[in-house]
């Protein structure tokens, strides 16, 4: 073991380098008693009271977990609470009314700070307006807004009156909006005239109008005027201007509606591998307890921190870790509109520097982009305020993990690699930064109380080092309660494969493959579909990609299978390089050699195709299926789900030149 700079101990083991949490971090961590793992184990499910205790309850619960109707579990079911009360009122009552709740950084350099009191006032006024315009408890309100403060305000206003919200990512199409509103029978919509995209005004309302035309139900709509004179718009019947409503209800307050812990807080649509999007239902009590607890224990958020999760609220990460988790804890949450490279590639570091951000949470796709752009961009800013870094959304291989720790975290910030899903509601696998050693490339052990297991086809635990299916054997508070209006699909998608209802043995299936090491650390490899079969051997795309990404100069890689004329499958690798590294012969050789030595000659890519970017979904996940179609020369399906559709043509052109 080497003791580096007195910061703690780093060690090299057979499974790579591990980093002990730095002493200085442990000393101040919210959770630093290693006994927490055992405590949750021996005291399960009552251990989860520790999470519930972070909330204020109108009526205390008596039963922690009711499992009589598995897999429809109920947490804290006889308790009552209101999420907006927990995120606002109670912080006013505890003397924090002038503390900043949201610091917003707009795309055009605008800045707005909302204190808890400001946020309380605006949420109340909007809640009064929604109620006046007809929204009742349990009505689903759809919110179709970009990253402007009115988005969390509308969510909290809904929560205040007990109306579940369904946020639809602003970049999705009119069709996608209509499908989601139709599926949720939603008759209320909050949207805006438009927003800026790289400096251009972009019309959002026309998409909302098209969705309304496609819907059978009448839709009452509130429109936030984001663009003013840059994009004039007219309001029709049943449409109201957000700011006019605020004037009309100025100064009004609405008593928070006391909700049962199991009442729906929100719905979040996520795409399945097949068919209609799934409306994942989240509860009020269990969800809020789990996001508050993980914000506290995993992200180490403290009330006086400036905390920044640079995701979009249109996805689960933003719901849990921009809005509900940090606001429940009364901290300052930063919210930014735009992209990390506009107006320049140091946008994020400029924001960290100026706001003295303590905790920063982002996705591997962003980290790989930062790495590609080079260390000068963060290097020009003072990032010394950072205490903890987090990542979520995809597997992260050791090189970008180390780069993140080194160039953003200054070498002394713990990095938490958090595995979770829309369906898990909150983090379920991660190191606890004040306790557990970190292993780059591995998310870590299951959180205390989470029974994550990697199993084989028969549902038996696999041996360390073997690949299997990632499952969770016991319920947890933040878990999805069902799919909206579709209990059957909920059971079929997540429970059927590994459960044995006859013996009341229920096991949740995540849809991911993973590996576990001798210390119980889980490395998530990717979705079950992300497998290529070469000569009868099943190779995980993520392992090959990680070997490629280890080559000097590689920023990001995706591999797919291509059926050759002889019926064999060849591996095609799509690669983007770091700035300053060209796509020459040398790097091709390094890539192939790396794969060969990490996995074997079988996995050696037949073709290496260089591209400035990989095609990504709007939530930042690599679209391998599309790359597979490109490699196989197949007709490409709908590319509207892509963030960067223009890249596909470039890749197609490049394929001709590949060796
Ligand atoms: C929070 C979120 C869920 C899927 C999940 C997995 C992948 C998320 C990960 C990770 C490896 C991590 N994923 N975190 N893979 N390591 N730390 O992203 O939710 O959009 O529903 O995606 O993302 O494949 O199953 P969601």
């Amino acid at each position: 073991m080497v003791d580096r700079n007195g910061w703690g101990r780093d060690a090299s083991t057979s499974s790579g380098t591990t980093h002990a949490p730095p002493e200085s971090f442990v000393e101040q961590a919210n959770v630093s008693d290693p006994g927490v793992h055992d405590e949750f184990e021996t005291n399960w499910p009552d251990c989860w009271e520790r999470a519930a205790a972070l909330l204020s309850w109108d009526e205390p619960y008596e039963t922690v977990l009711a499992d009589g109707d598995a897999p429809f579990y109920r947490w804290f079911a006889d308790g009552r609470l209101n999420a907006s009360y927990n995120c606002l009122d109670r912080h006013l009552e505890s003397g924090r009314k002038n503390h900043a709740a949201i610091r917003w950084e707009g795309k055009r350099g605008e800045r707005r700070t909302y204190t808890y009191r400001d946020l309380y006032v605006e949420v109340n006024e909007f809640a009064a307006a929604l109620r006046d315009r007809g929204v009742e408890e349990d009505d689903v309100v759809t919110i179709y807004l970009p990253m402007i403060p009115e988005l969390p305000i509308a969510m909290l206003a809904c929560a205040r009156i007990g109306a579940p919200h369904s946020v639809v990512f602003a970049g999705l199409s009119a069709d996608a909006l209509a499908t989601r509103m139709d599926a949720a029978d939603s008759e209320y919509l909050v949207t805006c005239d438009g927003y800026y995209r790289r400096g251009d005004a972009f019309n959002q309302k026309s998409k909302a109008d098209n969705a309304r035309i496609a819907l059978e139900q009448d839709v009452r709509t509130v429109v936030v005027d984001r663009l003013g004179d840059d994009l004039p718009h007219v309001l029709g019947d049943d449409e109201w201007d957000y700011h006019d409503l605020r004037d009309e209800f100025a100064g009004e307050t609405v008593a928070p509606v006391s909700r049962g812990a199991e009442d729906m807080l929100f719905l979040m649509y996520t795409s399945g591998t097949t068919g209609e999007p799934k409306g994942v239902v989240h509860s009020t009590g269990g969800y809020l307890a789990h996001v508050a607890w993980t914000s506290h224990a995993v992200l180490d958020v403290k009330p006086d921190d400036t905390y920044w999760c640079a995701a979009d609220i249109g996805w689960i990460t933003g719901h849990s870790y921009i809005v509900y988790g940090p606001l429940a804890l009364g901290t300052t949450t930063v919210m930014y509109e735009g992209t990390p490279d506009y107006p320049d590639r140091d946008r994020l570091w400029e924001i960290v520097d100026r706001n003295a951000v303590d905790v920063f949470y982002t996705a591997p796709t962003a980290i790989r982009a930062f790495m590609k752009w080079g260390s000068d961009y963060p290097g020009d800013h003072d990032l010394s305020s950072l205490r903890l870094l987090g990542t979520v959304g995809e597997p992260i291989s050791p090189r970008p993990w180390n780069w993140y720790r080194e160039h953003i975290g200054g070498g002394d910030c713990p990095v938490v690699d958090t595995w979770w899903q829309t369906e898990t509601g909150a983090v379920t696998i991660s190191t606890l930064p004040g306790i557990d050693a970190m292993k780059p490339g591995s998310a870590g052990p299951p959180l205390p109380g989470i029974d994550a297991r990697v199993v084989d086809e028969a549902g038996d635990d696999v041996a360390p080092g073997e690949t299997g299916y990632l499952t969770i054997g016991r319920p947890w508070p933040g878990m999805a309660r069902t799919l909206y209006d579709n209990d059957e699909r909920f059971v079929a998608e997540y429970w059927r494969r590994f459960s044995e209802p006859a013996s009341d043995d229920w096991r949740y299936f995540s849809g991911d493959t993973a590996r576990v090491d001798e210390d119980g650390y889980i490395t998530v490899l990717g979705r079950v579909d992300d497998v290529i079969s070469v000569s009868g051997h099943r190779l995980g795309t993520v392992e090959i990609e990680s070997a490629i990404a280890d080559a000097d100069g590689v920023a990001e890689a995706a591999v797919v299978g291509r059926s050759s004329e002889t019926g064999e499958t060849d591996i095609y690798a799509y690669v983007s390089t770091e700035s300053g590294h060209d796509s020459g012969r040398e790097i091709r050789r390094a890539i192939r050699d790396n794969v060969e030595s990490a996995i074997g000659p079988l996995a050696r890519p037949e073709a290496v195709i260089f591209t400035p970017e990989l095609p990504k979904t709007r939530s930042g996940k690599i679209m391998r299926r599309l790359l597979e179609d490109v490699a196989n020369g197949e007709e490409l399906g709908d590319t509207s789900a892509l963030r960067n559709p223009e890249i596909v043509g470039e890749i197609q052109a490049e394929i001709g030149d590949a060796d």
Side-chain angles (χ1 to χ4, degrees):
M1 287 227 186
V2 244
D3 193 6
R4 278 196 197 148
N5 317 327
W7 279 110
R9 293 179 173 292
D10 290 349
S12 276
T13 68
S14 55
S15 51
T17 309
T18 65
H19 304 278
E23 206 89 343
S24 56
F25 184 88
V26 175
E27 275 164 19
Q28 61 77 60
N30 285 339
V31 176
S32 59
D33 174 7
V36 68
H37 283 286
D38 281 347
E39 174 200 326
F40 269 65
E41 206 49 46
T42 47
N43 201 17
W44 193 90
D46 294 344
C47 53
W48 284 107
E49 294 204 68
R50 237 176 117 163
L54 295 171
L55 306 181
S56 302
W57 297 78
D58 304 339
E59 279 176 38
Y61 57 87
E62 300 215 331
T63 312
V64 173
L65 169 66
D67 59 3
D69 188 23
F72 302 97
Y73 296 97
R74 297 161 59 78
W75 286 90
F76 317 116
D78 43 10
R80 302 193 73 84
L81 75 167
N82 179 282
S84 125
Y85 177 87
N86 272 279
C87 292
L88 300 170
D89 308 43
R90 64 173 180 156
H91 305 313
L92 266 53
E93 290 160 14
S94 68
R96 297 177 64 76
K97 67 178 190 317
N98 294 325
H99 191 74
I102 296 179
R103 282 195 200 285
W104 177 70
E105 299 269 348
K107 191 170 294 185
R108 298 204 146 177
E110 312 101 308
R111 283 173 214 148
R112 271 192 244 164
T113 298
Y114 289 77
T115 64
Y116 273 94
R117 163 100 197 143
D118 297 334
L119 197 58
Y120 170 87
V121 168
E122 192 154 337
V123 166
N124 270 277
E125 290 171 353
F126 193 49
L130 286 176
R131 193 179 257 178
D132 181 80
R133 292 306 190 264
V135 179
E136 292 180 6
E137 193 174 348
D138 295 321
D139 287 345
V140 175
V141 176
T142 302
I143 306 175
Y144 187 48
L145 286 175
M147 286 289 283
I148 55 178
E150 289 78 4
L151 169 52
I153 288 165
M155 291 163 72
L156 292 168
C158 289
R160 196 161 188 89
I161 59 176
H165 52 73
S166 166
V167 176
V168 176
F169 177 65
L172 292 186
S173 65
D175 276 357
L177 174 63
T179 311
R180 286 156 178 72
M181 290 190 74
D182 179 44
D185 301 314
S186 176
E187 299 180 339
Y188 298 92
L189 175 65
V190 183
T191 186
C192 65
D193 52 347
Y195 56 94
Y196 298 110
R197 221 191 226 177
R198 295 189 172 272
D200 298 328
F202 180 81
N203 197 326
Q204 182 80 345
K205 177 141 193 311
S206 66
K207 289 197 291 177
D209 289 344
N210 287 336
R212 282 176 68 181
I213 293 165
L215 286 167
E216 269 169 32
Q217 69 260 40
D218 290 331
V219 176
R220 299 183 159 203
T221 306
V222 177
V223 182
V224 178
D225 187 354
R226 166 78 178 101
L227 297 180
D229 292 340
D230 282 358
L231 188 79
H233 65 281
V234 278
L235 296 175
D237 290 343
D238 286 342
E239 293 188 329
W240 302 283
D241 177 79
Y242 177 87
H243 301 284
D244 289 349
L245 286 175
R246 276 204 65 201
D247 289 343
E248 190 179 336
F249 294 90
E252 292 208 12
T253 55
V254 176
V257 171
S258 191
R259 298 279 282 168
E262 278 299 312
D263 286 343
M264 180 175 19
L265 177 60
F266 67 87
L267 246 178
M268 165 109 254
Y269 280 91
T270 178
S271 45
T273 37
T274 52
E276 297 285 287
K278 303 179 276 195
V280 176
V281 172
H282 280 293
S283 69
T284 306
Y287 169 82
L288 201 62
H290 193 177
V291 297
W293 163 250
T294 44
S295 300
H296 172 81
V298 178
L299 298 171
D300 198 51
V301 169
K302 310 211 166 37
D304 289 334
D305 279 347
T306 298
Y307 157 86
W308 185 15
C309 167
D312 194 293
I313 295 175
W315 311 113
I316 192 69
T317 304
H319 277 54
S320 300
Y321 297 111
I322 298 176
V323 183
Y324 286 113
L327 294 179
L329 296 183
T331 195
T332 302
T333 180
V334 177
M335 171 178 175
Y336 99 112
E337 181 193 37
T339 47
D341 58 349
Y342 184 86
D344 205 347
R345 289 172 166 179
D346 68 344
R347 169 106 192 268
L348 303 191
W349 319 127
E350 197 265 320
I351 295 175
V352 169
D353 189 348
R354 186 155 37 73
N355 291 282
V357 169
D358 297 275
V359 177
F360 180 70
Y361 192 27
T362 189
T365 179
I367 297 166
R368 292 185 301 250
F370 306 148
M371 195 170 88
K372 182 154 87 180
W373 299 336
S375 55
D376 286 351
Y377 292 100
D380 286 345
H381 295 275
D382 178 4
L383 308 182
S384 61
S385 58
L386 289 168
R387 178 177 87 241
L388 174 69
L389 300 175
T391 140
V392 57
E394 281 185 302
I396 179 164
S397 43
R399 229 161 59 88
W401 192 101
N402 284 317
W403 189 95
Y404 190 36
R405 179 166 179 268
E406 195 59 40
H407 294 282
I408 308 303
D412 56 11
C413 280
V415 177
V416 285
D417 175 359
T418 64
W419 179 88
W420 58 291
Q421 308 177 292
T422 305
E423 294 85 347
T424 70
V427 178
T428 38
I429 300 176
S430 169
T431 52
L432 289 173
I435 299 174
D436 304 313
M438 298 159 270
K439 300 189 189 187
S442 166
L447 287 189
I450 301 287
D451 180 30
R453 301 243 191 109
V454 183
V455 302
D456 61 17
E457 292 285 348
D460 297 322
D461 290 356
V462 298
E466 300 285 309
T467 298
Y469 303 97
L470 180 56
T471 66
I472 307 181
R474 282 187 309 220
W476 62 98
M479 69 197 301
R481 294 308 192 261
T482 189
L483 294 178
Y484 189 75
D485 213 14
N486 206 339
D487 289 351
E488 250 170 64
R489 189 169 176 202
F490 179 64
V491 175
E493 291 258 358
Y494 306 108
W495 301 93
R496 195 153 287 155
R497 183 146 175 197
F498 291 105
S499 301
E500 287 180 32
S503 45
D504 207 27
D505 178 8
W506 292 92
R507 181 167 287 275
Y508 171 85
F509 178 40
S510 66
D512 282 355
T513 55
R515 216 172 30 217
V516 61
D517 73 8
E518 56 286 353
D519 299 324
Y521 276 51
I522 294 173
T523 295
V524 177
L525 300 169
R527 305 294 300 166
V528 169
D529 333 325
D530 295 340
V531 164
I532 306 177
S533 209
V534 179
S535 313
H537 295 268
R538 286 160 56 84
L539 303 170
T541 50
V542 174
E543 276 173 292
I544 307 174
E545 286 159 12
S546 161
I548 296 175
D550 255 350
D552 210 22
V554 171
E556 192 163 45
V559 301
V560 300
R562 176 181 195 267
S563 319
S564 72
E565 279 147 22
T566 57
E568 293 290 301
T569 303
D570 291 333
I571 292 176
Y572 268 43
Y574 299 85
V575 174
S576 71
T577 54
E578 283 170 32
S579 69
H581 288 265
D582 68 357
S583 44
R585 187 172 285 252
E586 214 166 292
I587 190 164
R588 273 205 165 87
R589 185 175 320 121
I591 286 170
R592 289 185 162 127
D593 289 352
N594 267 14
V595 173
E596 193 164 332
S597 65
I599 300 151
L602 208 62
R604 201 178 159 92
E606 176 66 25
V608 177
I609 299 126
F610 289 99
T611 166
E613 277 172 43
L614 296 171
K616 304 263 176 80
T617 65
R618 293 184 196 267
S619 61
K621 298 190 169 63
I622 297 168
M623 279 268 264
R624 291 196 186 72
R625 222 163 311 156
L626 187 84
L627 288 170
E628 195 175 320
D629 289 345
V630 173
N632 286 287
E634 310 236 334
E635 186 135 343
L636 303 183
D638 185 11
T639 55
S640 64
L642 285 184
R643 179 194 279 173
N644 51 353
E646 67 288 348
I647 205 72
V648 179
E650 290 184 38
I651 294 176
Q652 282 173 317
E654 187 68 23
I655 275 232
D657 307 333
D659 62 344

